[in-house]
Structures are given as structure tokens and as C-alpha cells.
Amino acid sequence: MARSAFVFDLDGTIWDSYAWYSAVLDPCDRVAQQRTISQLRQGASIITLASARGISKGTLRNRCSQCVELPPLYPHVLDTISSLNKQQCRLGVVTSLSGELAGVMLDRVGLTCFFGTIIHPGNCPARKPSAGPLLQALSELGDIPGASAVYVGDTETDRRCAVRAGVPFVWAAYGYGGRPSGDYQEIRDIAEVLNL
């Protein structure tokens, strides 16, 4: 079946953000940066870590928008997203990042224009692993049937979200999450979605 829509997670799927986040939070402290990376790998959210340092969401957003370095995209992300767009596939994002932070980061790397919808905790009451965010994305992309879409993510939470929504899951093995359970397709480079 030809895929009519591709929905992507962000952290660990589109960009390799942990070291970037750590530099945003602790720009002059290498020890703190390593601690932040470790906490992110253990599942802490960037918003929670910022809050623990007394950094508000607004200040975090400003730091992210003013950081000299761009959030580092995984190899072939821009080419792959551009190719899917040229093939007239509908593209969306389902992320656990705040909408403000996701928006700033997508803008900075030049990807916002490709996505027909960006679902985040600020515009969807349900949270992954609920089916709600993914179903909302498919609805906003034009009532895409689940079987003709795929959700690309890197964690077990992403897989469970896809399963509950009736959408095939593609595991980004290059990302942060460990190998998920159950059935899924594995990719080691995002460009492999072009062959799905």
C-alpha cells in the first residue's frame, strides 16, 4: 500500500538534540552539560530540567531561538522530508515537546513549512502513548486512514501510540529509545522511509 502520510516524532527522530539542549541550559559548564545529557537519556524532559534550574518556558524558548548553533538534524532529514513533500505525501509531527519549543526548533532548522500539522501537549489534551495525538494529526492532515500512514519514532511510547491509533510504526533505530516490543519496521537512516 502506498503511504499517503508520514507523521514524525522530533527528539531522537528528526534531530539529535540532547547535547544541544545541555548547551542551551548550561552553556559554560561542561560537567553540568554531561549531567543534563544523562538525565535526558534517563527520560527527563527538557522542560522539567529547565524548571529545576529556575528557567521558565519563555526563557528556555528564547535561549533556544538565540543559540548560535542549530539543533542538529540527523543525516538525510532535510532531503528526505523534501522528497516526501515533492511526492505530495502529507507530513505531520506528534511530539511531547511544548508547542513553543517545537515551533522555535522547527523554524530554526527550516522544517516548519513542510508539516501540515504539529501536535503537541498545548493543542491536544491526550498524551502519548494515547492514540489521541496521532489520530488528531491524521484528522488535521485530511482524515488519513491509519493503514495508509506511518508514525516514525524512536521509543516504546511512540510505538504504543501508533498501535493504539491503528497506524503502522517505524522505529528510528538511530534515535534515543531502546528496541521496542511488538511488531514494527526498523530503519537505521531516515532516508529509508522513502522505500516504505
Side-chain angles (χ1 to χ4, degrees):
M1 170 183 288
R3 303 297 180 190
S4 59
F6 291 79
V7 181
F8 297 90
D9 177 47
L10 292 177
D11 287 323
T13 304
I14 293 294
W15 48 55
D16 185 3
S17 53
Y18 286 0
W20 188 80
Y21 285 146
S22 72
V24 167
L25 288 185
D26 304 297
C28 300
D29 188 336
R30 296 271 185 204
V31 172
Q33 288 177 15
Q34 290 304 313
R35 187 170 54 248
T36 296
I37 291 170
S38 176
Q39 291 170 318
L40 289 165
R41 285 185 178 143
Q42 293 169 14
S45 92
I46 185 62
I47 301 294
T48 302
L49 294 178
S51 179
R53 289 167 172 77
I55 301 170
S56 70
K57 287 182 184 178
T59 300
L60 178 61
R61 181 192 65 238
N62 290 339
R63 283 190 183 187
C64 289
S65 66
Q66 295 166 4
C67 185
V68 173
E69 300 294 328
L70 294 178
L73 296 175
Y74 283 109
H76 310 122
V77 165
L78 185 55
D79 290 342
T80 300
I81 298 296
S82 296
S83 293
L84 291 172
N85 183 61
K86 287 176 186 170
Q87 294 171 23
Q88 298 184 335
C89 293
R90 297 182 189 181
L91 304 177
V93 166
V94 169
T95 181
S96 297
L97 284 175
S98 73
E100 291 180 334
L101 192 53
V104 163
M105 294 173 72
L106 285 165
D107 285 347
R108 294 219 46 215
V109 297
L111 290 177
T112 304
C113 61
F114 293 108
F115 295 112
T117 187
I118 300 168
I119 304 301
H120 52 80
N123 64 9
C124 181
R127 304 283 186 272
K128 295 187 290 185
S130 163
L134 190 47
L135 292 175
Q136 183 174 326
L138 296 179
S139 174
E140 292 185 10
L141 289 172
D143 291 320
I144 304 294
S148 69
V150 295
Y151 183 43
V152 184
D154 67 311
T155 67
E156 173 66 14
T157 299
D158 294 331
R159 186 198 70 81
R160 287 166 53 206
C161 174
V163 168
R164 290 174 179 172
V167 175
F169 178 63
V170 176
W171 177 48
Y174 54 82
Y176 297 135
R179 182 173 291 279
S181 61
D183 294 329
Y184 54 86
Q185 191 156 354
E186 175 180 331
I187 57 171
R188 298 200 166 270
D189 185 305
I190 197 168
E192 293 174 42
V193 302
L194 296 171
N195 301 319
L196 297 179

